[in-house]
């Protein structure tokens, strides 16, 4: 069964550094998402992406964050200048149709980002 | 206040017991999804409930969507150790024109042998 893959599985970075988290969504999916989960807390929506542009973003997704689909397969999340509070599991997800239309999201196994 | 409140937050039971976890909201949802998340992995969809009053069964798991489409429950019969995990409900409110799938805080279930 096709799956969403994320790399790296664990990223350690120093405060103020830039990080890029990478995702390969399911190949025929059109909608892509990033979520994060701070340890012990709920899964929080960051951003959705469709047709090469952001379709929706949450308050968490401020100017430090950006997303890109640089080629036909990768979907990346960049954090420009990491802060301690950015430490979390970051999950990429994709879906064939809109999440609002009852479409399930397929999640990757996440990248654990640790900011020191 | 969270859009989707899940209860209980933690549940520890013995293998063979039955349990019910709840997902409640003051908002109406066109559908609710249930996911299970195991440590070190992303959430995996279990089921989507769409119609008010709908009941869906997945082996020993029974999902119900409230008549008013504001709440849902998950009942597990004769729990097994393999049922251990974090159970999450998620949905997009009917009043929301967007596409932001919002998750509840989850119920962390531990089934002991």
């Amino acid at each position: 069964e096709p799956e969403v893959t994320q790399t790296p599985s664990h990223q350690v970075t120093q405060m103020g550094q830039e990080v890029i988290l990478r995702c390969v969504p399911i190949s025929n999916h059109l909608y892509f998402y990033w979520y994060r989960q701070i340890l012990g807390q709920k899964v929080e929506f960051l951003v959705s992406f469709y047709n090469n542009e952001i379709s929706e973003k949450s308050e968490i997704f401020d100017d430090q964050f950006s997303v890109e689909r640089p080629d036909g397969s990768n979907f990346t999340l960049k954090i420009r200048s990491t802060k301690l509070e950015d430490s979390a599991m970051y999950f990429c997800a994709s879906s064939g149709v809109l999440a609002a239309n009852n479409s399930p999201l397929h999640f990757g196994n996440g990248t654990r980002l640790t900011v020191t | 206040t969270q859009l989707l409140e899940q209860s209980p937050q933690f549940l520890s039971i013995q293998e063979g017991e039955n349990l019910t976890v709840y997902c409640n909201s003051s908002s109406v949802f066109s559908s609710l999804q249930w996911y299970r998340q195991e440590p070190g992995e992303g959430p995996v969809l279990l089921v989507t409930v769409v119609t008010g009053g709908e009941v869906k069964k997945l082996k020993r798991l029974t999902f119900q969507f409230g008549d008013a489409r504001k709440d849902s429950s998950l009942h597990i019969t004769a729990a097994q150790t393999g049922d251990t995990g974090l159970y999450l409900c998620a949905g997009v409110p009917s009043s929301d024109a967007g596409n932001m799938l919002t998750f509840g805080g989850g119920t962390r279930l531990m089934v002991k042998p």
Side-chain angles (χ1 to χ4, degrees):
Chain A
E1 186 177 322
E3 57 182 27
V4 176
T5 56
Q6 291 186 242
T7 55
S9 56
H10 193 182
Q11 174 87 49
V12 181
T13 189
Q14 287 192 321
M15 197 167 52
Q17 295 296 305
E18 174 184 286
V19 293
I20 297 177
L21 310 183
R22 302 181 191 281
C23 170
V24 179
I26 294 174
S27 61
N28 61 348
H29 282 182
L30 301 176
Y31 298 86
F32 313 115
Y33 312 85
W34 283 100
Y35 282 78
R36 79 171 185 190
Q37 187 176 32
I38 296 171
L39 186 64
Q41 296 187 27
K42 61 184 285 190
V43 177
E44 299 175 294
F45 173 84
L46 293 178
V47 67
S48 59
F49 192 87
Y50 170 71
N51 200 25
N52 282 321
E53 59 184 24
I54 290 173
S55 52
E56 199 164 0
K57 61 183 180 179
S58 70
E59 292 175 353
I60 303 168
F61 195 88
D62 61 23
D63 291 344
Q64 294 297 315
F65 291 88
S66 62
V67 289
E68 196 177 29
R69 189 156 162 82
D71 52 45
S73 60
N74 290 285
F75 179 50
T76 62
L77 173 69
K78 182 193 290 186
I79 309 175
R80 201 179 338 272
S81 177
T82 50
K83 303 186 284 287
L84 294 176
E85 54 264 39
D86 293 328
S87 296
M89 281 290 285
Y90 288 81
F91 291 104
C92 173
S94 68
S95 64
V97 294
L98 280 171
N101 291 348
N102 311 326
S103 176
L105 267 57
H106 296 258
F107 284 85
N109 282 335
T111 293
R112 179 171 298 284
L113 176 65
T114 302
V115 182
T116 62
Chain B
T1 304
Q2 296 193 59
L3 183 63
L4 286 166
E5 295 275 357
Q6 290 191 246
S7 61
Q9 287 185 284
F10 301 97
L11 188 56
S12 179
I13 61 170
Q14 294 295 135
E15 199 169 30
E17 291 183 6
N18 301 332
L19 66 119
T20 303
V21 299
Y22 301 93
C23 173
N24 295 303
S25 179
S26 56
S27 299
V28 176
F29 288 80
S30 58
S31 67
L32 279 177
Q33 300 175 1
W34 283 91
Y35 290 80
R36 190 172 91 186
Q37 184 181 20
E38 300 194 37
E41 299 182 10
V44 175
L45 181 77
L46 295 173
V47 79
T48 302
V49 285
V50 178
T51 308
E54 180 178 11
V55 176
K56 277 192 175 177
K57 286 182 185 276
L58 191 67
K59 296 183 182 177
R60 293 175 295 101
L61 278 59
T62 302
F63 302 85
Q64 186 160 9
F65 200 14
D67 290 340
R69 293 186 288 124
K70 292 183 178 181
D71 55 84
S72 182
S73 64
L74 159 60
H75 181 80
I76 302 179
T77 304
Q80 299 176 357
T81 55
D83 296 326
T84 293
L86 179 65
Y87 289 83
L88 300 162
C89 66
V92 179
S94 298
S95 59
D96 189 346
N99 192 33
M100 190 187 311
L101 187 72
T102 300
F103 283 81
T107 292
R108 192 167 297 280
L109 172 65
M110 176 173 288
V111 182
K112 296 180 283 188

